[in-house]
Amino acid sequence: MEIPKPKEFRKQRRLPEEEEDEINLLNSWIQSQKPDSGTNPMSLPLLPKTSPVGRLDDNTFSRYAGVLRFEQLPLSKKTKDALRSSNYVFMADIQRASLPHALCGRDVLGAAKTGPGKIFAFIIPVLEKLYRERWGPEDGIGSIIISPTRDLADLIFLVLEYIGKYHGFSAGLLIGGRKDVAMEKERVNKLNILICTPDRLLQHMDETSNFDCSQMQVLVLDEADHILDSGFEKQLNAIISRLPKCRQTMLFSATQTKSVQDLARLSLKDPEYLIALEESWIATPF
């Protein structure tokens, strides 16, 4: 395979003043209140319901680790509006544990069962990272989400449509068994978020002319134990070797086998290891 030369490092585009101000505020909030590495935010005392959120009167920011509600997190208005319109108010355990670390850019190794709660735990950081990086249509692939099965990829895409409906990012499903490979090849480099199975992604890396993920910001490996059990270990290793080293990676797995631990060592840097094997939903229909 001839690996295409990477693009020149992208220049961040200018957004409307209101969005620029929001991004600057979010970056300050995230950096000033990020949780200590190696801690589980669920172990922190909860903030009172009446506590102010965001920038406080003394020009500091509210804590976002150890909170219950999505509105208490440093999220863009577009993401919060989507959550609110779908009646998502309270976070599940895996979200409470992982989102504070993921939002500040850390790698995450999460132990969690299948379900929308876990999917939210990586979809929200993907959307927020690209938003704060001012990602645009011309920037191409900003995130790759790898799933072991077509059914799970479909569910991830559905969740992305719900939570990302007010963002302008383009997304696509690249999954084995579909017949429109030629059409995919024509548009894959124009997509911002790829949701794919390992075999289909590697097919595009091998066959699609000028396939370029050199500026990718976030890699997600969902149900890593099932990916490895399905015989995709060689494909995953080949994929990871072609991705940019400077990235955020989130790996979720219901079981922590030796193969999963080996994959984590290969793909993650100083990850936060967070466990939430039981999903607990409060007033969050799906």
Side-chain angles (χ1 to χ4, degrees):
M1 172 190 175
E2 181 181 350
I3 301 177
K5 294 180 180 179
K7 299 176 183 176
E8 294 182 7
F9 193 77
R10 59 180 289 271
K11 295 180 181 179
Q12 290 184 338
R13 64 192 179 117
R14 291 291 297 179
L15 298 174
E17 184 176 354
E18 182 179 349
E19 292 188 16
E20 288 286 347
D21 289 344
E22 181 185 45
I23 289 171
N24 291 333
L25 183 143
L26 289 172
N27 285 332
S28 297
W29 185 2
I30 288 168
Q31 289 305 309
S32 67
Q33 294 295 324
K34 61 184 178 182
D36 292 335
S37 181
T39 62
N40 188 331
M42 289 183 62
S43 66
L44 296 173
L46 292 175
L47 291 177
K49 291 183 179 180
T50 56
S51 295
V53 174
R55 192 189 296 275
L56 307 178
D57 291 340
D58 59 358
N59 212 32
T60 61
F61 291 90
S62 60
R63 170 164 59 87
Y64 62 88
V67 298
L68 276 175
R69 302 189 305 277
F70 285 111
E71 65 180 19
Q72 296 172 293
L73 295 173
L75 303 178
S76 63
K77 183 178 183 299
K78 293 178 179 180
T79 297
K80 285 187 174 181
D81 285 349
L83 290 164
R84 192 178 298 112
S85 69
S86 300
N87 296 319
Y88 289 100
V89 177
F90 295 95
M91 289 182 279
D93 286 350
I94 187 57
Q95 297 158 5
R96 291 181 57 205
S98 65
L99 280 174
H101 288 294
L103 287 171
C104 66
R106 292 173 178 152
D107 284 7
V108 168
L109 174 57
K113 291 184 177 180
T114 300
K118 178 202 57 178
I119 296 174
F120 277 42
F122 58 78
I123 287 294
I124 290 174
V126 164
L127 290 170
E128 292 300 295
K129 174 68 173 177
L130 296 185
Y131 176 69
R132 297 199 312 272
E133 288 293 328
R134 302 164 177 84
W135 210 261
E138 71 284 355
D139 293 318
I141 299 170
S143 178
I144 294 176
I145 301 171
I146 300 178
S147 157
T149 67
R150 294 180 233 169
D151 288 344
L152 180 57
D154 284 334
L155 178 58
I156 294 170
F157 192 83
L158 177 63
V159 173
L160 176 62
E161 285 187 317
Y162 267 88
I163 307 306
K165 61 184 176 182
Y166 298 127
H167 288 280
F169 305 125
S170 57
L173 273 169
L174 308 180
I175 52 180
R178 292 163 63 92
K179 298 179 180 180
D180 49 355
V181 182
M183 184 180 298
E184 287 179 1
K185 290 181 178 180
E186 291 179 2
R187 62 191 297 261
V188 66
N189 282 320
K190 300 177 183 178
L191 298 173
N192 300 141
I193 301 172
L194 303 183
I195 300 171
C196 43
T197 51
D199 51 348
R200 190 54 149 242
L201 175 59
L202 190 58
Q203 181 181 0
H204 280 285
M205 286 182 159
D206 287 338
E207 299 177 6
T208 300
S209 176
N210 297 319
F211 181 88
D212 183 13
C213 56
S214 62
Q215 303 296 326
M216 187 199 72
Q217 302 290 302
V218 188
L219 170 67
V220 177
L221 303 170
D222 190 23
E223 295 203 354
D225 48 350
H226 291 165
I227 293 176
L228 296 171
D229 289 345
S230 301
F232 288 123
E233 184 172 0
K234 288 184 178 179
Q235 289 94 326
L236 266 187
N237 291 340
I239 289 167
I240 291 170
S241 70
R242 302 180 193 184
L243 298 178
K245 304 298 182 187
C246 183
R247 66 172 191 266
Q248 180 183 13
T249 304
M250 290 176 277
L251 186 157
F252 290 86
S253 175
T255 59
Q256 298 298 307
T257 64
K258 182 180 182 303
S259 295
V260 169
Q261 292 167 0
D262 290 343
L263 177 61
R265 281 191 289 270
L266 173 68
S267 58
L268 281 73
K269 295 179 182 178
D270 302 320
E272 302 296 330
Y273 178 50
L274 302 161
I275 303 175
L277 293 179
E278 296 297 332
E279 280 203 75
S280 60
W281 288 87
I282 308 174
T284 49
F286 194 86

